[in-house]
Amino acid sequence: MNTNNTSNNLQLIADTAKDFAEKNIRPNIMTWDESQTFPVELFHQLGEMGFMGIVIPEKYGGSGLGYQEYVTILDEISQVDPSIGLSVAAHNSLCTNHIYEFGNEEQRNRWLPKLASGQIIGAWGLTEHNTGSDSGGMSTTAVKDGDEWIINGAKNFITHAISGDVAVVMTRTGEKGTRNNSTAFVLEKGMPGFSSGKKENKLGMRASETAELIFDNVRVPDSHRLGEVGEGFKQAMKILDGGRISIAALSLGIARGAYKAALKYSKERHQFGKAINEFQAVNFMLADMATEIDAAELLIRRAADMKDRKEKMTKEGAMAKLYASEACVRIANNAVQIFGGYGYTKDFPVEKFYRDAKLCTIGEGTSEIQRLVIGREISK
């Protein structure tokens, strides 16, 4: 009975997300992509739908849903436009979730209702110009000065760096290279010295804004510190565990979107007197795509289930992210191949899925880092 209720709820949520995406996102996909427009108003609408605080409890203005529902929403949105899915993921799983997981009650009540409702947009800053995977070696510093901290440095490749209203930022408060050298703070746009830098001109995910965050003697009250001094890096790693489910779900949406487009086209496109999906070479590609999508979803659903149960899922999250992201690149590549020359044009959707897919093997921990995480976990 519970299983049926869960399935029915997930289907209802999937239908709601799909309808929203078809109505509000699909008509604008290529306009936003080609102009690199980040559609801020759309995210206010997503907030009204309850999609900007999906796993945040209702008492803080969130939807109070679990990670299974979260995966479903991201999957449906990303089948239509992965760049919007990416921004929904970053807002939910990184900024908003970090404040929920590690903020005190005052901090939760201050920022979560506005974030969860989409009134304000969140950013999350860990990566720097010279520290990608080596996030423990960050250069951005926070120095205590009375009841305030003075933050200096910059963050790179930050989603919503320009349009975001608040940002959770990891800073170095100890020696480089140690695991207890980092502290997290919530910064608000408008703080003197806190600004945005260059917007990146990207291969894909172009409607999801990516830019620098710059800190020039930014004075931040100690009341904006999340958790204890020195715990920022540990917090970030726990947040990335859940963030891997996000990127895996985003990858699933890309894979499914590309597969559906390729399957439909293969039935409509005729060569040598028959539909091209009747040729074994094409049919086998579609078979592999369908199998990889199911395998990816099973890995993701397992990780989401463990996350909902509050079980440690570092290995399972990394496996889901690794497999789903690499599968979505393969599937998008094959989708372009099935479309042939048309797949290389912007008149058909697979060209964009192909460009968007690659980020999934890089963002929130590269495939190589996922293998490192998995290898470390299985060797314990």
Side-chain angles (χ1 to χ4, degrees), residues 231-252:
E231 288 187 347
F233 185 82
K234 291 176 185 174
Q235 291 177 10
M237 293 305 103
K238 288 178 182 174
I239 292 301
L240 286 173
D241 273 355
R244 286 169 186 147
I245 294 176
S246 297
I247 301 300
L250 170 63
S251 302
L252 180 65

Side-chain angles (χ1 to χ4, degrees), residues 277 279-291 334 338:
N277 75 323
F279 292 99
Q280 192 177 71
V282 173
N283 200 252
F284 276 15
M285 267 198 277
L286 291 164
D288 285 345
M289 292 158 84
T291 302
N334 282 338
I338 288 170

